[in-house]
Structure formats: C-alpha cells, structure tokens
Amino acid sequence: MIGLLQRVSEASVRVEGEVVGAIGAGLMVLVCAEKGDTEREADALLAKLLGYRVFSDEAGKMNRSITDTAGGLLLVPQFTLAADTKSGTRPSFSPAAAPEDGRRLFDHVVRQARERHRIVETGSFGADMKVALVNDGPVTFWLRVDPVGVPR
C-alpha cells in the first residue's frame, strides 16, 4: 500500500462540480493499493499515517500526529501512485491492484479510519476527481507498506 500524505491548511475533492469531501487543517492522503496488498497492509498504512508526526509542537519541531492535533483527514484513491516509470515515457500501471481489490482496500482503510479518527472525508473511487489543496509547509511524505514476503 502506498500513501502520499500532505499536511494541508485545507483540501477538497470535487466530482462533476460537487464537493464530495473537504477538510480544514489536517492531512490529505492519496491512497493506492498494489498487487499483493491485503487488509494487513491497509491497516499498517493507516496506523503509520495516523501516527506520523508531521505537525509542529510548541518548540516548532514535527512531533505531533494527526491523532494528536485532531485535524481533518481526507483520503483520496489514487492508483497512479503504483506506476512503473522505469522505462520509456509512458507509465505502466501493472503494479497497481485490480480495480475491485483497490476499491475493497480503499473502502477498508476508510472504514477503519472512521473508527479511529473523528474527521474523515474521502474522494470517490474510480471517479474523475478534481483535488484542491493548500499544502502547509510544504510538507509531503511518501509512505509505503510492502506485503510480507513480497519484495517490490
């Protein structure tokens, strides 16, 4: 599983002109399932992003997590994070999970996040989304959880 997390002042997702998810200060996370990923990797990615310390403490150091700050969490499905860009000028998406697996794992992450965090919004799986955000910092981290026994 891959998560591209960005600390934001605000973020939103529109589908066909309608806002489907929006947050104020918090994290906007692009979420991608790869072949071989299961609920185990999804849970590990969620635990990592909920605990990842990207918010400043009183001393100005990144020592606080989204859980500590109780900020918003906007989860957006994004299969292109799994792109293989090693050769040529056109990405291959063969490392991405099949659409049904990607949807299942994204929905799992959302359900688990809503059980563990107060403010959770989402994009729409498979939709043509327009994502807007104000990256705070900018602060952006790429997180990856590999399946047990499956090297990438």
Side-chain angles (χ1 to χ4, degrees):
M1 294 286 296
I2 300 169
L4 181 71
L5 81 109
Q6 298 180 70
R7 186 177 73 189
V8 299
S9 299
E10 61 185 68
S12 64
V13 178
R14 290 181 180 272
V15 174
E16 296 180 7
E18 298 292 322
V19 174
V20 298
I23 61 169
L27 292 178
M28 196 279 299
V29 184
L30 302 176
V31 178
C32 176
E34 295 180 280
K35 287 180 181 169
D37 287 337
T38 67
E39 284 77 1
R40 175 189 292 194
E41 289 76 32
D43 290 343
L45 179 65
L46 178 61
K48 193 167 189 174
L49 74 88
L50 288 176
Y52 219 65
R53 297 181 298 166
V54 299
F55 296 93
S56 298
D57 63 13
E58 298 75 24
K61 296 189 185 236
M62 283 196 269
N63 274 329
R64 300 180 77 210
S65 70
I66 190 72
T67 302
D68 297 330
T69 64
L73 180 61
L74 177 59
L75 300 171
V76 181
Q78 181 67 32
F79 83 95
T80 62
L81 287 176
D84 180 349
T85 59
K86 292 178 187 148
S87 64
T89 57
R90 183 169 185 259
S92 165
F93 299 107
S94 59
E100 59 275 6
D101 292 330
R103 179 184 300 271
R104 178 178 52 78
L105 292 170
F106 178 74
D107 290 346
H108 177 80
V109 168
V110 170
R111 277 191 310 275
Q112 296 303 309
R114 287 185 169 144
E115 287 182 13
R116 297 178 60 188
H117 195 72
R118 191 173 61 85
I119 303 168
V120 178
E121 296 283 324
T122 71
S124 297
F125 193 95
D128 180 18
M129 296 176 281
K130 306 302 180 203
V131 179
L133 64 119
V134 177
N135 191 316
D136 179 18
V139 173
T140 302
F141 293 97
W142 191 76
L143 305 177
R144 187 176 197 177
V145 175
D146 291 333
V148 175
V150 179
R152 301 230 203 242

